[in-house]
Amino acid sequence: MKEFDVVVIGGGPAGYVAAIRSAQLGLSTALVDEYVGKDGKHALGGTCLNAGCIPSKALLDSSEHYHRVKHKFGSHGITATGLTLDVSKMIERKDKIVSTLTKGVAGLFKKNKITWLQGHGRLELGMKVRVSPVAGEGEEEVVQAKHIILATGSVPRTLPNLTIDQEKVVDSTGALEFKEVPKRLGVIGAGVIGLELGSVWSRLGAEVVVLEAMDDFLAMTDEQIAAEALKEFKRQGLDIHLGARVNKADVSGAGVVVDYEDAEGEHQLEVDKLVVAVGRKPHTDGLNSTEVDLFVDESGYIHVDEFCCTNIPDIYAIGDVVRGPMLAHKGSEEGIMVAERIAGKKTRVNHDTIPWVIYTWPEIAWVGKTEKALKKEAREFQSGTFPMRASGRALAMEETVGLVKVITDAGTDEILGVHIFGAAASELIAEAVVAMEYKASAEDLACIVHAHPTMSEAVHEAALGVHKRSLHI
Ligand code: FAD
Ligand code: NAD
């Protein structure tokens, strides 16, 4: 039986990063992964690289280019005639990016001498992992581990009266594979996936209707930002219905007929395709044999402490399969922490400074607390905002929608949260993460020189605004 210092189950951004860091630290490492791509071959990278972060961003970029040429270039004095759209080429480009990255991870495994075991991993008594082939090839094998890291990720949630057929009713994976632009597209859930993938197909010309069960839009974001974003997305053509609960969908006709209910009563919506984006759930199916007493909580998450230790000594769990936001970078940082702690280091992850980004256009990004959360804690705070329309760079780019908000402690001025809606918010938020990690105050941020003209000046101005010192508004 082969023996390893570390065996990781799951090759997404949590697991593969944990494996690379373990190998860098001199630990003999194997990683088991069962993912099989649409070409029928095993691929590393998990949801993120194969059917999540990367393919969705590839399509978001392509669709934004198309939308810009069609609707935004005119004011710059640029006219394009004979504009065409080749969806299959767009999907091909996306697939190529995915394959470059997943092959890149395989290359990193080779370089770091990590053993890639292809198949389903099952935890057995005595720190053993049974690897069973999933694609009908190969032989079952059992490996022995000194340490095991569980990184089995998450899968889409479904609704009771809906069957995902990946043709007419699709989840996020199916919504990345349409062969043509649907005329009418329904989306259930105005969460991160609903907004990102709804935006892709809306920019390409689909009429998109989004049904969201909650009365609040993007409840986890700053209220002011959420209100601005809702206004802007509706202006862009996303037909977002809040407080709309879907009961069932009928696929017997040519399209899909969705029955939903809101405060005004019952309604029917007819669409060509329906995307179900109602959240994701931790994936632990078939992960442990019954003798292994792994503690999984009532929501299906593997229970861990702040260092990602499970209830079983030397077995850790990281990424989407444990508490905290389901974000690739959160999983990767947990992977690094666990590998380093196995190697005897004292690493920890600061869960308070994990940034969120929603890749709509404009983007929404934030780190830290919202005003709503601080009010709930009865913590006194102050805030400064700066609208993008007052930024010279934003005007030059014709990207004047949105704002930056900096929230600080009323007594110490320590930054407690930064919330951005605007072009390049995904990049701007990094400055806020560094500032918060170093416990900077708004005054610290205000004292730092920001290049002119850049969008980052809006962050500077919002920090100045906390003390009513903004210069350009
Ligand atoms: P996963 O990436 O889910 O990987 C788990 C892997 O384990 C999979 O390959 C799975 O096949 C394998 N596995 C499971 N069980 C077993 C087993 N028993 N044996 C062997 N293998 C097993 N996050 C961001 O931060 N930014 C984004 O822009 C972003 N965009 C997204 C867009 C979409 C459409 C989706 C669906 C998700 C997006 N996410 C994004 C979320 C992100 O993909 C996840 O947070 C991330 O992939 C979680 O990483 P993970 O390693 O924990 O799990
Ligand atoms: P989500 O939790 O962001 O949104 C799901 C939405 O569906 C919620 O607003 C919920 O109220 C709504 N909903 C639930 N049941 C419903 C019903 N019956 N009818 C109508 N609406 C209903 O989940 P998601 O968009 O599926 O994404 C899953 C996770 O994947 C995200 O939470 C995030 O962690 C991750 N993700 C991240 C990114 C990113 O970082 N940019 C992108 C995509 C996904």
Side-chain angles (χ1 to χ4, degrees):
M1 193 187 306
K2 286 184 203 146
E3 283 186 35
F4 297 92
D5 293 326
V6 175
V7 173
V8 183
I9 306 182
Y16 87 70
V17 168
I20 293 175
R21 189 67 189 122
S22 300
Q24 283 178 342
L25 291 162
L27 302 162
S28 62
T29 305
L31 181 140
V32 191
D33 190 274
E34 66 185 3
Y35 189 87
V36 177
K38 65 181 189 187
D39 59 359
K41 293 188 185 141
H42 277 277
L44 291 164
T47 307
C48 177
L49 267 59
N50 291 287
C53 329
I54 298 298
S56 60
K57 266 81 252 176
L59 292 185
L60 276 156
D61 272 325
S62 295
S63 59
E64 182 60 20
H65 287 318
Y66 178 75
H67 182 77
R68 268 171 202 269
V69 179
K70 203 163 173 192
H71 300 286
K72 294 189 177 168
F73 277 14
S75 60
H76 293 261
I78 304 167
T79 316
T81 51
L83 184 66
T84 59
L85 174 65
D86 183 343
V87 175
S88 54
K89 196 157 182 186
M90 206 175 264
I91 300 286
E92 219 176 275
R93 186 192 88 97
K94 178 260 299 176
D95 289 343
K96 213 158 152 196
I97 295 163
V98 168
S99 126
T100 303
L101 286 173
T102 56
K103 284 187 183 135
V105 176
L108 292 172
F109 270 36
K110 236 184 210 156
K111 183 183 151 217
N112 286 287
K113 300 189 173 47
I114 298 164
T115 304
W116 175 13
L117 302 167
Q118 299 175 345
H120 178 82
R122 190 171 138 98
L123 201 53
E124 297 194 341
L125 275 184
M127 297 295 282
K128 291 184 179 56
V129 175
R130 180 174 296 274
V131 184
S132 315
V134 288
E137 310 152 6
E139 291 196 356
E140 197 163 79
E141 90 172 278
V142 179
V143 295
Q144 179 74 52
K146 288 201 181 94
H147 307 269
I148 294 172
I149 304 175
L150 307 173
T152 49
S154 63
V155 288
R157 271 185 209 287
T158 49
L159 291 176
N161 295 324
L162 279 181
T163 308
I164 306 286
D165 58 18
Q166 300 296 24
E167 276 298 323
K168 284 202 273 185
V169 182
V170 303
D171 58 18
S172 56
T173 305
L176 295 166
E177 300 296 338
F178 291 160
K179 294 189 174 56
E180 56 190 29
V181 182
K183 195 164 171 318
R184 271 175 78 74
L185 177 69
V187 178
I188 310 183
V192 195
I193 293 180
L195 292 174
E196 289 187 2
L197 296 182
S199 295
V200 165
W201 296 107
S202 161
R203 290 168 191 168
L204 296 178
E207 232 177 274
V208 178
V209 182
V210 186
L211 302 174
E212 165 58 50
M214 307 259 284
D215 293 324
D216 290 338
F217 179 64
L218 289 179
M220 72 282 205
T221 55
D222 173 85
E223 278 174 297
Q224 191 181 356
I225 300 264
E228 289 281 317
L230 180 61
K231 202 165 62 186
E232 172 60 16
F233 299 154
K234 282 188 168 172
R235 195 199 59 76
Q236 290 175 6
L238 285 181
D239 186 6
I240 301 171
H241 296 243
L242 298 176
R245 187 160 280 280
V246 173
N247 297 322
K248 63 177 170 47
D250 179 10
V251 291
S252 58
V256 188
V257 180
V258 185
D259 285 3
Y260 72 94
E261 226 179 299
D262 62 15
E264 279 145 36
E266 292 185 3
H267 309 268
Q268 275 199 336
L269 170 74
E270 282 187 54
V271 289
D272 301 309
K273 287 192 190 281
L274 181 67
V275 181
V276 182
V278 294
R280 295 179 61 83
K281 57 178 186 186
H283 182 202
T284 51
D285 291 353
L287 177 59
N288 52 315
S289 64
T290 43
E291 310 87 71
V292 178
D293 198 13
L294 182 70
F295 181 29
V296 174
D297 73 20
E298 63 279 5
S299 308
Y301 291 97
I302 299 175
H303 183 81
V304 289
D305 68 9
E306 64 176 307
F307 301 119
C308 293
C309 300
T310 68
N311 61 313
I312 305 174
D314 300 319
I315 300 186
Y316 306 82
I318 58 175
D320 279 12
V321 80
V322 303
R323 83 294 174 255
M326 287 186 170
L327 296 173
H329 41 284
K330 173 263 192 186
S332 297
E333 290 306 319
E334 288 177 340
I336 292 165
M337 172 183 74
V338 166
E340 295 193 348
R341 293 188 79 87
I342 288 171
K345 296 178 184 285
K346 300 279 178 244
T347 316
R348 49 173 66 229
V349 173
N350 183 0
H351 283 92
D352 295 335
T353 53
I354 293 172
W356 270 88
V357 179
I358 305 178
Y359 296 83
T360 46
W361 196 264
E363 296 170 336
I364 301 172
W366 73 94
V367 57
K369 304 220 164 159
T370 58
E371 290 182 353
K372 194 160 59 177
L374 290 166
K375 278 181 198 152
K376 224 175 183 177
E377 289 175 17
R379 187 157 179 190
E380 301 224 349
F381 62 87
Q382 53 200 352
S383 68
T385 58
F386 189 77
M388 293 305 187
R389 72 185 142 75
S391 148
R393 186 62 192 275
L395 265 165
M397 289 164 66
E398 223 170 282
E399 293 294 354
T400 51
V401 172
L403 70 148
V404 178
K405 179 184 279 188
V406 174
I407 305 172
T408 73
D409 182 275
T412 64
D413 195 33
E414 183 184 338
I415 300 170
L416 303 176
V418 176
H419 304 267
I420 307 174
F421 179 43
S426 58
E427 304 295 341
L428 296 179
I429 201 66
E431 175 181 17
V433 176
V434 174
M436 282 185 63
E437 198 59 54
Y438 284 90
K439 301 205 173 296
S441 60
E443 195 178 346
D444 290 329
L445 211 52
C447 288
I448 294 170
V449 183
H450 289 70
H452 176 73
T454 60
M455 297 295 282
S456 72
E457 286 170 301
V459 178
H460 189 220
E461 288 275 6
L464 283 164
V466 172
H467 302 294
K468 314 282 176 273
R469 290 173 48 205
S470 291
L471 295 162
H472 293 90
I473 193 87

mmCIF file of all heavy atoms in Angstrom, residues 42 92 97 100 120 126 171 178 213 217 219 229 241 251 262 280-281 351 372 374 399 404 417 440 457 472:
data_model
loop_
_atom_site.group_PDB
_atom_site.id
_atom_site.type_symbol
_atom_site.label_atom_id
_atom_site.label_comp_id
_atom_site.label_asym_id
_atom_site.label_seq_id
_atom_site.Cartn_x
_atom_site.Cartn_y
_atom_site.Cartn_z
ATOM 1 N N HIS A 42 -10.379 13.282 -17.023
ATOM 2 C CA HIS A 42 -10.222 13.851 -15.681
ATOM 3 C C HIS A 42 -9.541 15.205 -15.777
ATOM 4 O O HIS A 42 -8.650 15.404 -16.618
ATOM 5 C CB HIS A 42 -9.360 12.924 -14.816
ATOM 6 C CG HIS A 42 -10.166 11.806 -14.216
ATOM 7 N ND1 HIS A 42 -10.891 11.961 -13.068
ATOM 8 C CD2 HIS A 42 -10.362 10.524 -14.623
ATOM 9 C CE1 HIS A 42 -11.504 10.826 -12.771
ATOM 10 N NE2 HIS A 42 -11.203 9.928 -13.707
ATOM 11 N N GLU A 92 -16.148 28.107 -27.246
ATOM 12 C CA GLU A 92 -14.865 27.454 -27.555
ATOM 13 C C GLU A 92 -13.707 28.192 -26.861
ATOM 14 O O GLU A 92 -12.811 27.583 -26.303
ATOM 15 C CB GLU A 92 -14.668 27.541 -29.066
ATOM 16 C CG GLU A 92 -14.072 26.319 -29.722
ATOM 17 C CD GLU A 92 -14.050 26.571 -31.219
ATOM 18 O OE1 GLU A 92 -15.088 26.312 -31.863
ATOM 19 O OE2 GLU A 92 -13.007 27.051 -31.719
ATOM 20 N N ILE A 97 -9.661 28.366 -22.394
ATOM 21 C CA ILE A 97 -9.097 28.993 -21.182
ATOM 22 C C ILE A 97 -9.131 27.981 -20.036
ATOM 23 O O ILE A 97 -8.161 27.809 -19.298
ATOM 24 C CB ILE A 97 -9.893 30.267 -20.813
ATOM 25 C CG1 ILE A 97 -9.727 31.327 -21.899
ATOM 26 C CG2 ILE A 97 -9.461 30.820 -19.453
ATOM 27 C CD1 ILE A 97 -10.744 32.436 -21.857
ATOM 28 N N THR A 100 -6.485 25.341 -20.618
ATOM 29 C CA THR A 100 -5.133 25.863 -20.347
ATOM 30 C C THR A 100 -4.871 25.859 -18.837
ATOM 31 O O THR A 100 -3.801 25.439 -18.372
ATOM 32 C CB THR A 100 -5.010 27.317 -20.873
ATOM 33 O OG1 THR A 100 -5.327 27.309 -22.248
ATOM 34 C CG2 THR A 100 -3.626 27.886 -20.655
ATOM 35 N N HIS A 120 -13.004 8.408 -7.263
ATOM 36 C CA HIS A 120 -13.748 8.839 -6.076
ATOM 37 C C HIS A 120 -12.972 8.439 -4.811
ATOM 38 O O HIS A 120 -12.569 7.286 -4.673
ATOM 39 C CB HIS A 120 -15.136 8.175 -6.085
ATOM 40 C CG HIS A 120 -15.954 8.517 -4.892
ATOM 41 N ND1 HIS A 120 -16.676 9.682 -4.798
ATOM 42 C CD2 HIS A 120 -16.138 7.848 -3.718
ATOM 43 C CE1 HIS A 120 -17.284 9.727 -3.620
ATOM 44 N NE2 HIS A 120 -16.973 8.629 -2.942
ATOM 45 N N GLY A 126 -8.572 4.011 10.089
ATOM 46 C CA GLY A 126 -7.119 3.844 10.119
ATOM 47 C C GLY A 126 -6.389 4.748 9.144
ATOM 48 O O GLY A 126 -5.339 4.367 8.607
ATOM 49 N N ASP A 171 -28.654 24.267 -14.459
ATOM 50 C CA ASP A 171 -28.000 24.909 -13.316
ATOM 51 C C ASP A 171 -26.872 25.777 -13.878
ATOM 52 O O ASP A 171 -26.802 26.005 -15.102
ATOM 53 C CB ASP A 171 -27.512 23.848 -12.304
ATOM 54 C CG ASP A 171 -26.545 22.858 -12.922
ATOM 55 O OD1 ASP A 171 -25.980 23.149 -13.992
ATOM 56 O OD2 ASP A 171 -26.357 21.775 -12.331
ATOM 57 N N PHE A 178 -24.849 27.180 -23.304
ATOM 58 C CA PHE A 178 -25.900 27.371 -24.316
ATOM 59 C C PHE A 178 -25.281 27.444 -25.714
ATOM 60 O O PHE A 178 -24.231 28.058 -25.894
ATOM 61 C CB PHE A 178 -26.678 28.665 -24.054
ATOM 62 C CG PHE A 178 -27.542 28.627 -22.812
ATOM 63 C CD1 PHE A 178 -27.973 29.809 -22.225
ATOM 64 C CD2 PHE A 178 -27.932 27.434 -22.230
ATOM 65 C CE1 PHE A 178 -28.770 29.796 -21.087
ATOM 66 C CE2 PHE A 178 -28.730 27.406 -21.090
ATOM 67 C CZ PHE A 178 -29.143 28.594 -20.520
ATOM 68 N N ALA A 213 -36.775 35.127 -4.410
ATOM 69 C CA ALA A 213 -37.737 34.872 -3.338
ATOM 70 C C ALA A 213 -37.720 35.956 -2.250
ATOM 71 O O ALA A 213 -38.764 36.316 -1.701
ATOM 72 C CB ALA A 213 -37.445 33.510 -2.714
ATOM 73 N N PHE A 217 -32.901 42.915 -2.021
ATOM 74 C CA PHE A 217 -31.991 42.583 -3.109
ATOM 75 C C PHE A 217 -30.581 42.501 -2.534
ATOM 76 O O PHE A 217 -30.151 43.399 -1.806
ATOM 77 C CB PHE A 217 -32.072 43.671 -4.183
ATOM 78 C CG PHE A 217 -31.157 43.456 -5.352
ATOM 79 C CD1 PHE A 217 -31.327 42.360 -6.194
ATOM 80 C CD2 PHE A 217 -30.119 44.337 -5.617
ATOM 81 C CE1 PHE A 217 -30.486 42.159 -7.276
ATOM 82 C CE2 PHE A 217 -29.282 44.148 -6.705
ATOM 83 C CZ PHE A 217 -29.462 43.050 -7.537
ATOM 84 N N ALA A 219 -29.061 40.814 -0.057
ATOM 85 C CA ALA A 219 -29.163 41.127 1.375
ATOM 86 C C ALA A 219 -27.816 41.180 2.080
ATOM 87 O O ALA A 219 -27.685 41.840 3.116
ATOM 88 C CB ALA A 219 -30.079 40.100 2.037
ATOM 89 N N ALA A 229 -27.233 49.264 -7.230
ATOM 90 C CA ALA A 229 -27.004 48.163 -8.170
ATOM 91 C C ALA A 229 -28.337 47.707 -8.772
ATOM 92 O O ALA A 229 -28.431 47.484 -9.980
ATOM 93 C CB ALA A 229 -26.301 47.008 -7.473
ATOM 94 N N HIS A 241 -37.580 40.527 -10.348
ATOM 95 C CA HIS A 241 -38.783 40.532 -9.504
ATOM 96 C C HIS A 241 -38.385 40.063 -8.115
ATOM 97 O O HIS A 241 -37.941 38.921 -7.961
ATOM 98 C CB HIS A 241 -39.842 39.558 -10.051
ATOM 99 C CG HIS A 241 -40.359 39.933 -11.387
ATOM 100 N ND1 HIS A 241 -41.672 40.253 -11.618
ATOM 101 C CD2 HIS A 241 -39.739 40.059 -12.587
ATOM 102 C CE1 HIS A 241 -41.846 40.550 -12.900
ATOM 103 N NE2 HIS A 241 -40.665 40.437 -13.504
ATOM 104 N N VAL A 251 -42.245 21.681 -18.340
ATOM 105 C CA VAL A 251 -41.391 21.655 -19.533
ATOM 106 C C VAL A 251 -42.033 20.872 -20.679
ATOM 107 O O VAL A 251 -41.371 20.565 -21.667
ATOM 108 C CB VAL A 251 -39.997 21.043 -19.201
ATOM 109 C CG1 VAL A 251 -39.200 21.950 -18.311
ATOM 110 C CG2 VAL A 251 -40.121 19.651 -18.607
ATOM 111 N N ASP A 262 -46.107 36.068 -5.808
ATOM 112 C CA ASP A 262 -45.551 37.212 -5.081
ATOM 113 C C ASP A 262 -46.671 37.871 -4.294
ATOM 114 O O ASP A 262 -47.766 37.311 -4.202
ATOM 115 C CB ASP A 262 -44.822 38.180 -6.031
ATOM 116 C CG ASP A 262 -45.746 38.788 -7.074
ATOM 117 O OD1 ASP A 262 -46.978 38.698 -6.894
ATOM 118 O OD2 ASP A 262 -45.236 39.347 -8.060
ATOM 119 N N ARG A 280 -25.726 26.948 -3.328
ATOM 120 C CA ARG A 280 -24.973 25.695 -3.442
ATOM 121 C C ARG A 280 -24.935 25.014 -2.079
ATOM 122 O O ARG A 280 -25.082 25.666 -1.053
ATOM 123 C CB ARG A 280 -23.543 25.981 -3.947
ATOM 124 C CG ARG A 280 -23.546 26.532 -5.375
ATOM 125 C CD ARG A 280 -22.151 26.848 -5.878
ATOM 126 N NE ARG A 280 -21.260 25.702 -5.943
ATOM 127 C CZ ARG A 280 -21.217 24.832 -6.956
ATOM 128 N NH1 ARG A 280 -22.020 24.974 -7.989
ATOM 129 N NH2 ARG A 280 -20.363 23.828 -6.937
ATOM 130 N N LYS A 281 -24.741 23.700 -2.088
ATOM 131 C CA LYS A 281 -24.685 22.967 -0.820
ATOM 132 C C LYS A 281 -23.395 22.156 -0.735
ATOM 133 O O LYS A 281 -22.870 21.702 -1.774
ATOM 134 C CB LYS A 281 -25.917 22.076 -0.641
ATOM 135 C CG LYS A 281 -26.101 21.096 -1.759
ATOM 136 C CD LYS A 281 -27.307 20.203 -1.522
ATOM 137 C CE LYS A 281 -27.338 19.146 -2.603
ATOM 138 N NZ LYS A 281 -28.448 18.285 -2.656
ATOM 139 N N HIS A 351 -10.638 35.415 8.711
ATOM 140 C CA HIS A 351 -11.914 35.344 7.982
ATOM 141 C C HIS A 351 -12.616 36.704 7.902
ATOM 142 O O HIS A 351 -13.569 36.871 7.148
ATOM 143 C CB HIS A 351 -12.833 34.293 8.614
ATOM 144 C CG HIS A 351 -12.435 32.883 8.249
ATOM 145 N ND1 HIS A 351 -11.580 32.127 9.011
ATOM 146 C CD2 HIS A 351 -12.749 32.112 7.177
ATOM 147 C CE1 HIS A 351 -11.394 30.942 8.430
ATOM 148 N NE2 HIS A 351 -12.097 30.919 7.315
ATOM 149 N N LYS A 372 -25.570 47.771 8.263
ATOM 150 C CA LYS A 372 -26.660 46.996 8.875
ATOM 151 C C LYS A 372 -26.104 46.062 9.959
ATOM 152 O O LYS A 372 -26.641 45.990 11.068
ATOM 153 C CB LYS A 372 -27.369 46.185 7.778
ATOM 154 C CG LYS A 372 -28.697 45.617 8.196
ATOM 155 C CD LYS A 372 -29.579 45.247 7.008
ATOM 156 C CE LYS A 372 -28.955 44.222 6.095
ATOM 157 N NZ LYS A 372 -29.807 43.803 4.984
ATOM 158 N N LEU A 374 -23.299 46.380 11.602
ATOM 159 C CA LEU A 374 -22.749 47.147 12.728
ATOM 160 C C LEU A 374 -23.867 47.666 13.628
ATOM 161 O O LEU A 374 -23.735 47.679 14.851
ATOM 162 C CB LEU A 374 -21.884 48.304 12.211
ATOM 163 C CG LEU A 374 -20.574 47.840 11.568
ATOM 164 C CD1 LEU A 374 -19.927 48.961 10.776
ATOM 165 C CD2 LEU A 374 -19.596 47.324 12.631
ATOM 166 N N GLU A 399 -17.619 55.604 -17.147
ATOM 167 C CA GLU A 399 -18.015 54.583 -16.163
ATOM 168 C C GLU A 399 -18.410 55.289 -14.867
ATOM 169 O O GLU A 399 -17.807 55.101 -13.809
ATOM 170 C CB GLU A 399 -16.846 53.623 -15.901
ATOM 171 C CG GLU A 399 -16.462 52.753 -17.074
ATOM 172 C CD GLU A 399 -17.539 51.740 -17.458
ATOM 173 O OE1 GLU A 399 -18.553 51.621 -16.762
ATOM 174 O OE2 GLU A 399 -17.345 51.073 -18.492
ATOM 175 N N VAL A 404 -18.094 54.554 -3.804
ATOM 176 C CA VAL A 404 -17.265 53.844 -2.823
ATOM 177 C C VAL A 404 -17.726 54.300 -1.446
ATOM 178 O O VAL A 404 -17.996 55.489 -1.236
ATOM 179 C CB VAL A 404 -15.763 54.201 -2.984
ATOM 180 C CG1 VAL A 404 -14.929 53.480 -1.927
ATOM 181 C CG2 VAL A 404 -15.264 53.856 -4.376
ATOM 182 N N GLY A 417 -15.209 48.329 7.201
ATOM 183 C CA GLY A 417 -15.770 47.798 5.963
ATOM 184 C C GLY A 417 -15.552 48.775 4.820
ATOM 185 O O GLY A 417 -15.526 49.986 5.032
ATOM 186 N N ALA A 440 -5.647 49.590 9.418
ATOM 187 C CA ALA A 440 -5.502 51.008 9.073
ATOM 188 C C ALA A 440 -6.765 51.775 9.435
ATOM 189 O O ALA A 440 -7.851 51.201 9.542
ATOM 190 C CB ALA A 440 -5.226 51.139 7.579
ATOM 191 N N GLU A 457 -8.613 56.775 -6.865
ATOM 192 C CA GLU A 457 -8.822 58.060 -6.181
ATOM 193 C C GLU A 457 -10.192 58.106 -5.503
ATOM 194 O O GLU A 457 -10.378 58.833 -4.523
ATOM 195 C CB GLU A 457 -8.700 59.208 -7.178
ATOM 196 C CG GLU A 457 -7.268 59.481 -7.598
ATOM 197 C CD GLU A 457 -7.194 60.452 -8.766
ATOM 198 O OE1 GLU A 457 -7.765 60.139 -9.828
ATOM 199 O OE2 GLU A 457 -6.585 61.516 -8.614
ATOM 200 N N HIS A 472 -13.169 66.566 -3.968
ATOM 201 C CA HIS A 472 -13.802 66.745 -5.274
ATOM 202 C C HIS A 472 -15.313 66.549 -5.255
ATOM 203 O O HIS A 472 -15.898 66.284 -6.295
ATOM 204 C CB HIS A 472 -13.129 65.828 -6.305
ATOM 205 C CG HIS A 472 -11.721 66.229 -6.589
ATOM 206 N ND1 HIS A 472 -10.643 65.746 -5.870
ATOM 207 C CD2 HIS A 472 -11.211 67.111 -7.478
ATOM 208 C CE1 HIS A 472 -9.538 66.291 -6.321
ATOM 209 N NE2 HIS A 472 -9.856 67.124 -7.297
#
